[in-house]
Amino acid sequence: MPKFTEQEKEQIRQSLLIKGKEIFIKYGLTKTSIDDIVLACGIGKGSFYKFFSSKEELYYEILKNEEEIRETVLNELFREKLSPKELLASFFHTSFELVEENPFLQQVFQNDDHERLNRKLPEQMLEFSKENTERGIHAVNMLMERGVLPQDDPKVIVGIIQAIMMIRLHKHEIGEDVFPKVIAQIIEFIAEGFTKEAKRK
């Protein structure tokens, strides 16, 4: 196996992340092979294993990167000067849109990719889920401190956010033509309800 400089290692790693993401979006985790990935990157299979022990590990690394990008965008919202209702509605809309506009994150939950990751990388996925929940609770606590959300169990509010995310899986049943209006109305009702409750408490 060839020896790589640190710069070459970083270039190969980035290539694996970028090309791997493209292939996973196209075929899904189950149907993608390591051969597909190394061919796209122009490297040997032995070189792949210097960076990742399996295609699931590569997929997991891409998933973590996508979540970090999403977290950065959401954190930017807290710097904007918006009314409580506007901030909360923007938070829900942005959370939804970041998944809706990201084909990789859509792929994770629409196919059996998430289940496969849980089987192949149980410890990493448990930690990932825990970190996701903690990030959600942190965001909710920040909104509570600013009086945007009522003082309630943050896990319940995180659950509501996750429920909104899951609605997109039923876009076809709801009707793709009315779906954007349905989501907008749900977010409007939730933002209105939460901000009124926060004022009362």
Side-chain angles (χ1 to χ4, degrees), residues 85 88 187-197:
K85 183 181 173 183
L88 192 54
I187 290 174
E188 172 71 15
F189 289 150
I190 290 174
E192 180 75 20
F194 270 138
T195 47
K196 278 185 178 178
E197 186 68 18

Side-chain angles (χ1 to χ4, degrees), residues 107-120:
Q107 185 93 336
V108 174
F109 295 101
Q110 281 182 334
N111 300 319
D112 63 350
D113 291 358
H114 194 267
E115 182 58 34
R116 185 182 178 94
L117 282 179
N118 281 327
R119 289 197 313 270
K120 296 284 187 175

Side-chain angles (χ1 to χ4, degrees), residues 159-175:
I160 291 169
I161 296 169
Q162 290 171 337
I164 290 177
M165 298 298 103
M166 299 303 285
I167 291 172
R168 61 169 306 284
L169 299 178
H170 303 280
K171 185 190 291 188
H172 181 69
E173 293 99 310
I174 293 169

